[in-house]
């Protein structure tokens, strides 16, 4: 082959040499282009990706306190029976929503039976006195009795009617529905939050409350304030509340009452936040974190939402967005942070934004580019 090449004209040898390196050079160029190809956010990914414009803001330190969701005691109705009896039927369960006037239970009671007996006796007495009064009036006309005798019967009749009215009012108050039976009705709209009544149970005036009702549309958040934090808490402070059950849902409110009694056993003082609870997610008994702005510095810095942070190799990063195919992972120089944002000394150009949701997913795609 070498002999053959040597025998070829010089120009042709040069052409062959150039063509021999063409394939490897072209492949090398393709490899370079592939290695520098940028990652682009697809249309589908962009639909679920939050792109955030961040700005400088004063550096705010926050205080996080523990607490618990509790019932609004000003809206809580606890029911105790005024009569002795035996529970015949229970028509509700714990957690049920009830309407004012709804029948919750039926009770058999000897006291109700006694009231009906008194009613019947009183009605008979009224009938007798009414007839006697007619007779007395006739005798008075004939001059056979004096007027005071007639007035005495008239007075007794009026007293008997008053007593009958009292008995009827009592039966109405107890919601009597038959001789020996009365009903317990829901005193207001709301939810059954406590239940201590069952069929066959004997109830007395000394019994524990049979049930409690609250509408749950407004609840209390009771804060535990330790002595070291007392100086940071005052009435009217704006707070954010987050529960364990719904950590992504933040409720805003303000401290409306501080209980000026320090509990020596729990080593805390209580403070209260009143919150609207229209979706009923704030269930009494849930633990909660209460976030309060403690110090607001005059110094400002770029505030990066914590959901935009990516932690990799013991360092924090953010994904800077300039365009769908212009994405950059930038290490953060952290100054301070709180529950919501991290303050950094980094700078962003006017048209630069950061990735919020899907930050980790996109970071993994571009970190090696």
């Amino acid at each position: 082959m070498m002999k053959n090449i040597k025998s070829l004209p010089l120009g042709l040898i040069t052409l062959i040499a150039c063509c021999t390196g063409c394939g490897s050079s072209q492949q090398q160029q393709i490899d370079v282009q592939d290695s520098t190809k940028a990652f682009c956010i697809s249309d589908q990914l962009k639909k679920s990706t939050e792109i955030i414009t961040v700005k400088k803001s004063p550096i705010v330190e926050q205080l996080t306190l523990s607490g618990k969701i509790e019932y609004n005691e000003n809206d809580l109705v606890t029911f105790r029976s005024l009569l002795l009896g035996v529970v015949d039927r229970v028509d509700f369960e714990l957690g049920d929503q009830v309407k004012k006037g709804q029948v919750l239970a039926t009770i058999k009671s000897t006291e109700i039976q006694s009231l009906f007996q008194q009613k019947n006796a009183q009605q008979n007495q009224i009938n007798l006195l009414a007839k006697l009064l007619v007779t007395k009036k006739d005798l008075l006309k004939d001059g056979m009795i004096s007027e005071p005798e007639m007035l005495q019967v008239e007075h007794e009749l009026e007293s008997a009617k008053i007593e009958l009215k009292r008995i009827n009012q009592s039966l109405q108050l107890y919601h009597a529905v038959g001789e020996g039976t009365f009903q317990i009705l829901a005193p207001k709209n709301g939810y059954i939050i406590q239940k201590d009544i069952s069929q066959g149970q004997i109830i007395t005036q000394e019994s524990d409350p049979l049930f409690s009702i609250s509408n749950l549309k407004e609840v209390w958040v009771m804060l535990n304030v330790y002595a070291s934090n007392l100086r940071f808490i005052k009435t009217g402070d704006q707070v954010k509340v987050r529960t364990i059950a719904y950590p992504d849902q933040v409720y805003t409110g303000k401290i409306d009452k501080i209980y000026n009694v320090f509990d020596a056993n729990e080593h805390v003082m209580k403070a209260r936040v009143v919150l609207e609870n229209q979706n009923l997610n704030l269930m009494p008994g849930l633990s909660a974190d209460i976030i309060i702005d403690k110090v607001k510095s005059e110094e400002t810095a770029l505030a990066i939402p914590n959901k935009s942070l990516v932690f990799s190799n013991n360092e924090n990063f953010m994904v800077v967005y300039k365009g769908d195919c212009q994405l950059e992972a930038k290490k953060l120089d952290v100054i301070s942070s709180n529950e919501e944002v991290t303050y950094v000394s980094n700078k962003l150009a006017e048209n630069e934004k950061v990735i919020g949701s899907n930050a980790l997913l996109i970071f993994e795609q571009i970190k090696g580019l």
Side-chain angles (χ1 to χ4, degrees), residues 35 54 60 67 79 82 91 103 141 147 167 170 200 231 234 242 264 291 318 327:
S35 65
V54 293
V60 177
F79 183 90
L82 299 174
D91 297 321
V103 178
K141 289 180 181 179
E147 185 175 357
I167 294 171
S170 296
R231 66 185 184 276
K234 63 182 183 298
R242 186 174 55 214
I291 304 162
M318 63 180 173
L327 302 157

Side-chain angles (χ1 to χ4, degrees), residues 23 31 33 50 66 102-103 123 138 226 301 305 310 312 316 338:
D31 291 342
Q33 289 175 349
E50 185 179 6
S66 64
Q102 178 180 334
V103 178
Q123 186 63 60
D138 291 340
Y226 290 90
V310 177
S312 178
N316 285 307
N338 57 41

Side-chain angles (χ1 to χ4, degrees), residues 186-202:
K188 61 173 292 179
N189 296 338
Y191 294 83
I192 302 295
I193 61 172
Q194 176 266 329
K195 175 178 178 279
D196 188 18
I197 181 173
S198 58
Q199 188 175 12
Q201 177 181 340
I202 298 174

